[in-house]
PDB file of all heavy atoms in Angstrom:
ATOM      1  N   ASN A1187     -10.416 -37.844   8.904  1.00 98.00           N
ATOM      2  CA  ASN A1187     -11.741 -38.060   8.335  1.00 98.00           C
ATOM      3  C   ASN A1187     -11.657 -38.317   6.829  1.00 98.00           C
ATOM      4  O   ASN A1187     -12.240 -39.271   6.309  1.00 98.00           O
ATOM      5  CB  ASN A1187     -12.618 -36.831   8.603  1.00 98.00           C
ATOM      6  CG  ASN A1187     -14.023 -36.986   8.045  1.00 98.00           C
ATOM      7  OD1 ASN A1187     -14.783 -37.823   8.513  1.00 98.00           O
ATOM      8  ND2 ASN A1187     -14.358 -36.211   7.030  1.00 98.00           N
ATOM      9  N   ASP A1188     -10.899 -37.457   6.146  1.00 98.00           N
ATOM     10  CA  ASP A1188     -10.828 -37.555   4.692  1.00 98.00           C
ATOM     11  C   ASP A1188     -10.098 -38.835   4.271  1.00 98.00           C
ATOM     12  O   ASP A1188     -10.549 -39.559   3.379  1.00 98.00           O
ATOM     13  CB  ASP A1188     -10.122 -36.322   4.109  1.00 98.00           C
ATOM     14  CG  ASP A1188     -10.917 -35.035   4.361  1.00 98.00           C
ATOM     15  OD1 ASP A1188     -12.015 -35.124   4.951  1.00 98.00           O
ATOM     16  OD2 ASP A1188     -10.439 -33.961   3.972  1.00 98.00           O
ATOM     17  N   PHE A1191     -12.173 -41.869   4.831  1.00 98.00           N
ATOM     18  CA  PHE A1191     -13.240 -41.934   3.819  1.00 98.00           C
ATOM     19  C   PHE A1191     -12.699 -42.463   2.492  1.00 98.00           C
ATOM     20  O   PHE A1191     -13.285 -43.351   1.876  1.00 98.00           O
ATOM     21  CB  PHE A1191     -13.859 -40.543   3.634  1.00 98.00           C
ATOM     22  CG  PHE A1191     -14.909 -40.497   2.566  1.00 98.00           C
ATOM     23  CD1 PHE A1191     -16.197 -40.960   2.813  1.00 98.00           C
ATOM     24  CD2 PHE A1191     -14.613 -40.006   1.302  1.00 98.00           C
ATOM     25  CE1 PHE A1191     -17.171 -40.927   1.828  1.00 98.00           C
ATOM     26  CE2 PHE A1191     -15.584 -39.970   0.304  1.00 98.00           C
ATOM     27  CZ  PHE A1191     -16.868 -40.439   0.575  1.00 98.00           C
ATOM     28  N   PHE A1212     -17.936 -42.266  12.605  1.00 98.00           N
ATOM     29  CA  PHE A1212     -18.116 -41.744  11.255  1.00 98.00           C
ATOM     30  C   PHE A1212     -17.849 -42.860  10.255  1.00 98.00           C
ATOM     31  O   PHE A1212     -16.727 -43.350  10.147  1.00 98.00           O
ATOM     32  CB  PHE A1212     -17.203 -40.548  11.027  1.00 98.00           C
ATOM     33  CG  PHE A1212     -17.543 -39.385  11.926  1.00 98.00           C
ATOM     34  CD1 PHE A1212     -16.674 -38.964  12.909  1.00 98.00           C
ATOM     35  CD2 PHE A1212     -18.777 -38.745  11.801  1.00 98.00           C
ATOM     36  CE1 PHE A1212     -17.010 -37.908  13.745  1.00 98.00           C
ATOM     37  CE2 PHE A1212     -19.121 -37.696  12.634  1.00 98.00           C
ATOM     38  CZ  PHE A1212     -18.236 -37.273  13.616  1.00 98.00           C
ATOM     39  N   PRO A1214     -19.554 -43.266   6.688  1.00 97.00           N
ATOM     40  CA  PRO A1214     -20.459 -43.128   5.538  1.00 97.00           C
ATOM     41  C   PRO A1214     -20.399 -44.332   4.602  1.00 97.00           C
ATOM     42  O   PRO A1214     -21.343 -44.565   3.839  1.00 97.00           O
ATOM     43  CB  PRO A1214     -19.968 -41.849   4.840  1.00 97.00           C
ATOM     44  CG  PRO A1214     -18.640 -41.537   5.416  1.00 97.00           C
ATOM     45  CD  PRO A1214     -18.578 -42.169   6.764  1.00 97.00           C
ATOM     46  N   LEU A1220     -25.424 -42.252   6.373  1.00 98.00           N
ATOM     47  CA  LEU A1220     -24.529 -42.022   7.519  1.00 98.00           C
ATOM     48  C   LEU A1220     -23.536 -40.892   7.228  1.00 98.00           C
ATOM     49  O   LEU A1220     -22.957 -40.825   6.148  1.00 98.00           O
ATOM     50  CB  LEU A1220     -23.772 -43.309   7.868  1.00 98.00           C
ATOM     51  CG  LEU A1220     -24.667 -44.432   8.382  1.00 98.00           C
ATOM     52  CD1 LEU A1220     -23.865 -45.705   8.598  1.00 98.00           C
ATOM     53  CD2 LEU A1220     -25.361 -44.019   9.679  1.00 98.00           C
ATOM     54  N   PRO A1221     -23.354 -39.997   8.207  1.00 97.00           N
ATOM     55  CA  PRO A1221     -22.524 -38.804   8.007  1.00 97.00           C
ATOM     56  C   PRO A1221     -21.041 -39.064   8.234  1.00 97.00           C
ATOM     57  O   PRO A1221     -20.646 -40.072   8.828  1.00 97.00           O
ATOM     58  CB  PRO A1221     -23.043 -37.852   9.082  1.00 97.00           C
ATOM     59  CG  PRO A1221     -23.437 -38.770  10.204  1.00 97.00           C
ATOM     60  CD  PRO A1221     -23.953 -40.030   9.552  1.00 97.00           C
ATOM     61  N   CYS A1222     -20.222 -38.118   7.786  1.00 97.00           N
ATOM     62  CA  CYS A1222     -18.806 -38.084   8.136  1.00 97.00           C
ATOM     63  C   CYS A1222     -18.570 -36.896   9.073  1.00 97.00           C
ATOM     64  O   CYS A1222     -19.503 -36.150   9.386  1.00 97.00           O
ATOM     65  CB  CYS A1222     -17.927 -38.001   6.881  1.00 97.00           C
ATOM     66  SG  CYS A1222     -17.833 -36.359   6.137  1.00 97.00           S
ATOM     67  N   TYR A1223     -17.348 -36.708   9.508  1.00 97.00           N
ATOM     68  CA  TYR A1223     -17.022 -35.605  10.426  1.00 97.00           C
ATOM     69  C   TYR A1223     -17.331 -34.247   9.785  1.00 97.00           C
ATOM     70  O   TYR A1223     -17.795 -33.322  10.447  1.00 97.00           O
ATOM     71  CB  TYR A1223     -15.533 -35.681  10.797  1.00 97.00           C
ATOM     72  CG  TYR A1223     -15.051 -34.605  11.737  1.00 97.00           C
ATOM     73  CD1 TYR A1223     -15.388 -34.626  13.083  1.00 97.00           C
ATOM     74  CD2 TYR A1223     -14.247 -33.573  11.272  1.00 97.00           C
ATOM     75  CE1 TYR A1223     -14.939 -33.633  13.951  1.00 97.00           C
ATOM     76  CE2 TYR A1223     -13.791 -32.576  12.126  1.00 97.00           C
ATOM     77  CZ  TYR A1223     -14.133 -32.613  13.458  1.00 97.00           C
ATOM     78  OH  TYR A1223     -13.695 -31.626  14.302  1.00 97.00           O
ATOM     79  N   ARG A1224     -17.120 -34.145   8.468  1.00 94.00           N
ATOM     80  CA  ARG A1224     -17.398 -32.881   7.780  1.00 94.00           C
ATOM     81  C   ARG A1224     -18.898 -32.590   7.712  1.00 94.00           C
ATOM     82  O   ARG A1224     -19.291 -31.427   7.575  1.00 94.00           O
ATOM     83  CB  ARG A1224     -16.822 -32.908   6.359  1.00 94.00           C
ATOM     84  CG  ARG A1224     -15.320 -32.709   6.271  1.00 94.00           C
ATOM     85  CD  ARG A1224     -14.897 -32.826   4.808  1.00 94.00           C
ATOM     86  NE  ARG A1224     -13.473 -32.710   4.610  1.00 94.00           N
ATOM     87  CZ  ARG A1224     -12.827 -31.566   4.380  1.00 94.00           C
ATOM     88  NH1 ARG A1224     -13.507 -30.433   4.329  1.00 94.00           N
ATOM     89  NH2 ARG A1224     -11.529 -31.553   4.189  1.00 94.00           N
ATOM     90  N   CYS A1225     -19.735 -33.641   7.739  1.00 93.00           N
ATOM     91  CA  CYS A1225     -21.183 -33.408   7.763  1.00 93.00           C
ATOM     92  C   CYS A1225     -21.561 -32.728   9.078  1.00 93.00           C
ATOM     93  O   CYS A1225     -22.433 -31.866   9.121  1.00 93.00           O
ATOM     94  CB  CYS A1225     -21.949 -34.723   7.654  1.00 93.00           C
ATOM     95  SG  CYS A1225     -21.762 -35.595   6.098  1.00 93.00           S
ATOM     96  N   LEU A1226     -20.888 -33.133  10.161  1.00 92.00           N
ATOM     97  CA  LEU A1226     -21.152 -32.549  11.481  1.00 92.00           C
ATOM     98  C   LEU A1226     -20.484 -31.181  11.598  1.00 92.00           C
ATOM     99  O   LEU A1226     -21.101 -30.221  12.064  1.00 92.00           O
ATOM    100  CB  LEU A1226     -20.625 -33.503  12.564  1.00 92.00           C
ATOM    101  CG  LEU A1226     -20.687 -33.031  14.020  1.00 92.00           C
ATOM    102  CD1 LEU A1226     -22.124 -32.794  14.452  1.00 92.00           C
ATOM    103  CD2 LEU A1226     -20.031 -34.068  14.937  1.00 92.00           C
ATOM    104  N   TYR A1227     -19.230 -31.105  11.198  1.00 89.00           N
ATOM    105  CA  TYR A1227     -18.462 -29.850  11.269  1.00 89.00           C
ATOM    106  C   TYR A1227     -17.887 -29.551   9.888  1.00 89.00           C
ATOM    107  O   TYR A1227     -16.743 -29.911   9.600  1.00 89.00           O
ATOM    108  CB  TYR A1227     -17.327 -29.979  12.285  1.00 89.00           C
ATOM    109  CG  TYR A1227     -17.791 -30.208  13.703  1.00 89.00           C
ATOM    110  CD1 TYR A1227     -17.470 -31.372  14.395  1.00 89.00           C
ATOM    111  CD2 TYR A1227     -18.544 -29.235  14.364  1.00 89.00           C
ATOM    112  CE1 TYR A1227     -17.893 -31.580  15.712  1.00 89.00           C
ATOM    113  CE2 TYR A1227     -18.978 -29.440  15.672  1.00 89.00           C
ATOM    114  CZ  TYR A1227     -18.648 -30.596  16.331  1.00 89.00           C
ATOM    115  OH  TYR A1227     -19.069 -30.797  17.624  1.00 89.00           O
ATOM    116  N   PRO A1228     -18.680 -28.883   9.017  1.00 85.00           N
ATOM    117  CA  PRO A1228     -18.204 -28.624   7.646  1.00 85.00           C
ATOM    118  C   PRO A1228     -16.927 -27.795   7.627  1.00 85.00           C
ATOM    119  O   PRO A1228     -16.128 -27.913   6.708  1.00 85.00           O
ATOM    120  CB  PRO A1228     -19.346 -27.836   7.002  1.00 85.00           C
ATOM    121  CG  PRO A1228     -20.523 -28.049   7.878  1.00 85.00           C
ATOM    122  CD  PRO A1228     -20.017 -28.340   9.264  1.00 85.00           C
ATOM    123  N   ARG A1291     -27.249 -35.756  10.967  1.00 94.00           N
ATOM    124  CA  ARG A1291     -27.695 -36.132   9.631  1.00 94.00           C
ATOM    125  C   ARG A1291     -26.555 -36.039   8.630  1.00 94.00           C
ATOM    126  O   ARG A1291     -25.656 -35.216   8.782  1.00 94.00           O
ATOM    127  CB  ARG A1291     -28.829 -35.210   9.176  1.00 94.00           C
ATOM    128  CG  ARG A1291     -30.086 -35.465   9.943  1.00 94.00           C
ATOM    129  CD  ARG A1291     -31.222 -34.569   9.508  1.00 94.00           C
ATOM    130  NE  ARG A1291     -32.218 -34.528  10.557  1.00 94.00           N
ATOM    131  CZ  ARG A1291     -33.058 -35.518  10.818  1.00 94.00           C
ATOM    132  NH1 ARG A1291     -33.025 -36.624  10.094  1.00 94.00           N
ATOM    133  NH2 ARG A1291     -33.934 -35.428  11.803  1.00 94.00           N
ATOM    134  N   LYS A1292     -26.640 -36.878   7.628  1.00 95.00           N
ATOM    135  CA  LYS A1292     -25.695 -36.746   6.522  1.00 95.00           C
ATOM    136  C   LYS A1292     -26.031 -35.464   5.778  1.00 95.00           C
ATOM    137  O   LYS A1292     -27.195 -35.166   5.534  1.00 95.00           O
ATOM    138  CB  LYS A1292     -25.836 -37.934   5.578  1.00 95.00           C
ATOM    139  CG  LYS A1292     -24.803 -37.941   4.474  1.00 95.00           C
ATOM    140  CD  LYS A1292     -25.071 -39.069   3.496  1.00 95.00           C
ATOM    141  CE  LYS A1292     -23.975 -39.168   2.462  1.00 95.00           C
ATOM    142  NZ  LYS A1292     -22.773 -39.789   2.999  1.00 95.00           N
ATOM    143  N   ASP A1293     -25.005 -34.679   5.459  1.00 92.00           N
ATOM    144  CA  ASP A1293     -25.212 -33.448   4.695  1.00 92.00           C
ATOM    145  C   ASP A1293     -25.110 -33.799   3.212  1.00 92.00           C
ATOM    146  O   ASP A1293     -24.036 -34.153   2.734  1.00 92.00           O
ATOM    147  CB  ASP A1293     -24.128 -32.431   5.083  1.00 92.00           C
ATOM    148  CG  ASP A1293     -24.223 -31.159   4.262  1.00 92.00           C
ATOM    149  OD1 ASP A1293     -25.141 -31.053   3.428  1.00 92.00           O
ATOM    150  OD2 ASP A1293     -23.371 -30.279   4.455  1.00 92.00           O
ATOM    151  N   PRO A1294     -26.241 -33.705   2.488  1.00 92.00           N
ATOM    152  CA  PRO A1294     -26.173 -34.082   1.062  1.00 92.00           C
ATOM    153  C   PRO A1294     -25.187 -33.214   0.288  1.00 92.00           C
ATOM    154  O   PRO A1294     -24.704 -33.603  -0.762  1.00 92.00           O
ATOM    155  CB  PRO A1294     -27.609 -33.884   0.557  1.00 92.00           C
ATOM    156  CG  PRO A1294     -28.328 -33.124   1.611  1.00 92.00           C
ATOM    157  CD  PRO A1294     -27.575 -33.251   2.891  1.00 92.00           C
ATOM    158  N   ASN A1295     -24.882 -32.020   0.847  1.00 90.00           N
ATOM    159  CA  ASN A1295     -23.916 -31.132   0.190  1.00 90.00           C
ATOM    160  C   ASN A1295     -22.521 -31.223   0.805  1.00 90.00           C
ATOM    161  O   ASN A1295     -21.687 -30.346   0.575  1.00 90.00           O
ATOM    162  CB  ASN A1295     -24.404 -29.682   0.271  1.00 90.00           C
ATOM    163  CG  ASN A1295     -25.710 -29.496  -0.458  1.00 90.00           C
ATOM    164  OD1 ASN A1295     -25.870 -29.976  -1.576  1.00 90.00           O
ATOM    165  ND2 ASN A1295     -26.658 -28.832   0.188  1.00 90.00           N
ATOM    166  N   CYS A1296     -22.291 -32.262   1.615  1.00 93.00           N
ATOM    167  CA  CYS A1296     -20.983 -32.413   2.244  1.00 93.00           C
ATOM    168  C   CYS A1296     -19.883 -32.390   1.185  1.00 93.00           C
ATOM    169  O   CYS A1296     -19.984 -33.036   0.145  1.00 93.00           O
ATOM    170  CB  CYS A1296     -20.916 -33.727   3.025  1.00 93.00           C
ATOM    171  SG  CYS A1296     -19.288 -34.053   3.726  1.00 93.00           S
ATOM    172  N   ALA A1297     -18.827 -31.621   1.480  1.00 92.00           N
ATOM    173  CA  ALA A1297     -17.730 -31.478   0.520  1.00 92.00           C
ATOM    174  C   ALA A1297     -17.004 -32.794   0.277  1.00 92.00           C
ATOM    175  O   ALA A1297     -16.351 -32.984  -0.742  1.00 92.00           O
ATOM    176  CB  ALA A1297     -16.743 -30.428   1.016  1.00 92.00           C
ATOM    177  N   LEU A1298     -17.122 -33.725   1.249  1.00 96.00           N
ATOM    178  CA  LEU A1298     -16.397 -34.995   1.115  1.00 96.00           C
ATOM    179  C   LEU A1298     -17.320 -36.143   0.708  1.00 96.00           C
ATOM    180  O   LEU A1298     -17.058 -36.844  -0.258  1.00 96.00           O
ATOM    181  CB  LEU A1298     -15.704 -35.339   2.437  1.00 96.00           C
ATOM    182  CG  LEU A1298     -14.901 -36.638   2.417  1.00 96.00           C
ATOM    183  CD1 LEU A1298     -13.632 -36.458   1.582  1.00 96.00           C
ATOM    184  CD2 LEU A1298     -14.548 -37.083   3.823  1.00 96.00           C
ATOM    185  N   CYS A1299     -18.402 -36.364   1.486  1.00 96.00           N
ATOM    186  CA  CYS A1299     -19.226 -37.550   1.252  1.00 96.00           C
ATOM    187  C   CYS A1299     -20.561 -37.215   0.604  1.00 96.00           C
ATOM    188  O   CYS A1299     -21.410 -38.080   0.454  1.00 96.00           O
ATOM    189  CB  CYS A1299     -19.422 -38.332   2.554  1.00 96.00           C
ATOM    190  SG  CYS A1299     -20.562 -37.567   3.718  1.00 96.00           S
ATOM    191  N   GLY A1300     -20.757 -35.930   0.195  1.00 94.00           N
ATOM    192  CA  GLY A1300     -22.003 -35.520  -0.442  1.00 94.00           C
ATOM    193  C   GLY A1300     -22.087 -35.965  -1.899  1.00 94.00           C
ATOM    194  O   GLY A1300     -21.141 -36.553  -2.437  1.00 94.00           O
TER     195      GLY A1300
HETATM  196 ZN1   ZN B2968     -19.787 -35.854   5.021  1.00 51.86          ZN
END
Side-chain angles (χ1 to χ4, degrees):
N1187 180 66
D1188 296 358
F1191 177 79
F1212 296 113
L1220 294 175
C1222 78
Y1223 180 74
R1224 283 177 183 270
C1225 294
L1226 175 62
Y1227 297 117
R1291 290 180 200 285
K1292 185 185 185 77
D1293 176 2
N1295 298 315
C1296 175
L1298 181 72
C1299 74

